Amino acid sequence: MTAYLKLDHIDKIFTRGAATTEVLKDINLTIEKGQYVSIIGHSGCGKSTLLNIIAGLTGASTGGVLLENREVNSPGPDRAVVFQNHSLLPWLTVYENVKLGVDKVFAKTKSRAARDAWVMHNLNLVQMAHARDKRPSEISGGMKQRVGIARALAMEPKVLLLDEPFGALDALTRAHLQDSVMALHQKLGNTILMITHDVDEAVLLSDRIVMMTNGPSARIGEVLEVPLARPRKRLELATNATYLKCRQRVLEFLYERHRFVEAA
Amino acid sequence: MNMPATKIELETATSAASAAPVVAMTPKRPPRSEAYVRMARELAVRVIPPLVVVALLTLVWELVCRRAGSALPPPSKVFKDTKELILDPFFDHGGIDKGLFWHLSASLQRVAFGYSLSAIAGIALGVLVGQSVWAMRGLDPLFQVLRTIPPLAWLPLSLAAFRDGQPSAIFVIFITSIWPIIINTAVGIRNIPQDYRNVAAVVQLNPLEFFAKIMIPAAAPYIFTGLRIGIGLSWLAIIAAEMLIGGVGIGFFIWDAWNSSHISEIILALFYVGIVGFVLDRLIAGLGKFVTRGTALN
């Protein structure tokens, strides 16, 4: 297997005064180009910390992240993040929010007109071109997240990091957006790493599901391959034996072997 | 599995269309005169109550001060005494014998100068204190002590330093209005959500771009709160400072009127000071509203 993104023996220890908490322990993972990988685990297990380490927003205590065999330890557009709460800048329009990244990444390689076209192309990909001049406060939660995805995609990242991207959305909007992300993945062939706590979402979208044990000192408990052919259809999968088996495996991991223990 | 669902959808769609033919409807719009009436009514609701209160207060004032031997003049006498000043605010007989327009404009010029300096320095220092923990630890206690010093207490010191009235007055305005600007800017910078910082990090904005594209817009509501308090304070300070430094200016005009026992002129000047202070406050508030539109968190 060719490693595109490689997490190499990552530990993360938080220190506050005299108290130290080991959040992540010995995380090893390799992701191939074009793969869709989900990381699932109970809340508080350090999923988001792991994503922040990959994004370079926090540093690992030991170990490191390799992207195309190069170590990456600071944030950059090659690992664009779609944040859980969209994080659009409220004083910019939809267009300007996407353009912020595009102007920076393609400052030297694209002309002004080409950058403008590229922004509109990406807004079109997520069907948000119609709202280009609206501000984030004027569009719905699902639309904001679409713009967030467009902003990340427009930076042409090598790996797209999704931090519980659908967590704050209602069920119907979430299903709609999942379908959109699947279609985009199919069309563009991005490498995607997604944090989630939704079992159905993980099985539906992923090629592989990384299941994490409970923290502190969370490890990778199990990695499950999802051998379902793409394109996947939500309704067909509802009765698909492989889908149900995968779903069963994840549920067993989360609710039998690593039941969520209330920390406080 | 998909097919039947689509089919049903199609069927309902067609039946709905046949059952309810589309009728072109002209949107109902109220006649224009109605809109004017509503606007006039809203205006009346805002304007009439304060006018009534002012009229009543003036009446009480007139009744109280009309007796012979009262210390203060009634409004009718104020108007009679100051009629020339009101009607001709632009005369200039040299020295400090000028119309009220020139006094107000001299005061406003000092405020504009001192306040601009304090806005620039205040925002810069506020950004420093908000951004750097060490700057905050070092400077914040100092600011907390200095900001409690009354404006006029600075005047003798600045007169000693500058040896001239004009720069001293400007310095007093500067030092009075800078504290709320620093403190509010620092709070605004400290309250920039981590999300915005993360976005900036992923996009790899350099410090200058971060300052212009994230920091200033995100902190703008706080900055304008500070600016608005600052303009109020500087207008308070200039009147007091001018009383002491003399020369052309509305503050010294009041002091001069007191020395010549022109009580009516004092009352007129106070009226103008109040109006100008109100307009300054509204100006900054309006500017803030214009600049920070869309900055409100969603």
Side-chain angles (χ1 to χ4, degrees), chain A residues 75-77 85 87 90-91 104, chain B residues 195-196 202-204 209 213 217 294:
Chain A
N85 53 355
S87 293
W91 54 87
K104 201 62 192 151
Chain B
D195 295 337
Y196 299 169
V202 169
V203 177
Q204 285 182 334
E209 288 168 321
K213 291 188 176 168

Side-chain angles (χ1 to χ4, degrees), chain A residues 57 74-77 79-81 83 85-91 100-101 104 135-137 144 151 155 233 235-236, chain B residues 1-2 5 195-206 209 212-215 217-219 293-298:
Chain A
L57 295 168
S74 61
R79 282 150 293 132
V81 186
F83 297 94
N85 53 355
H86 67 78
S87 293
L88 299 179
L89 303 176
W91 54 87
L100 185 74
K104 201 62 192 151
R135 286 176 201 278
S137 55
K144 283 179 203 161
R151 175 172 66 184
M155 292 185 240
K233 294 250 164 54
L235 284 171
E236 287 164 16
Chain B
M1 176 128 194
N2 247 351
D195 295 337
Y196 299 169
R197 294 179 187 275
N198 286 347
V199 169
V202 169
V203 177
Q204 285 182 334
L205 296 181
N206 62 40
E209 288 168 321
K213 291 188 176 168
I214 309 282
M215 221 184 232
R293 85 203 122 86
T295 310
L297 290 172
N298 35 319

Side-chain angles (χ1 to χ4, degrees), chain A residues 194-216:
Chain A
M194 177 177 76
I195 303 283
T196 181
H197 49 220
D198 182 330
V199 177
D200 288 298
E201 180 174 293
V203 179
L204 176 68
L205 296 176
S206 320
D207 298 313
R208 281 198 300 156
I209 302 175
V210 176
M211 293 173 252
M212 291 189 59
T213 66
N214 284 327

Side-chain angles (χ1 to χ4, degrees), chain B residues 256-271:
Chain B
D256 197 38
W258 159 243
N259 283 331
S260 348
S261 302
H262 292 153
I263 307 298
S264 298
E265 289 183 9
I266 298 181
I267 293 172
L268 178 71
L270 289 187
F271 177 73

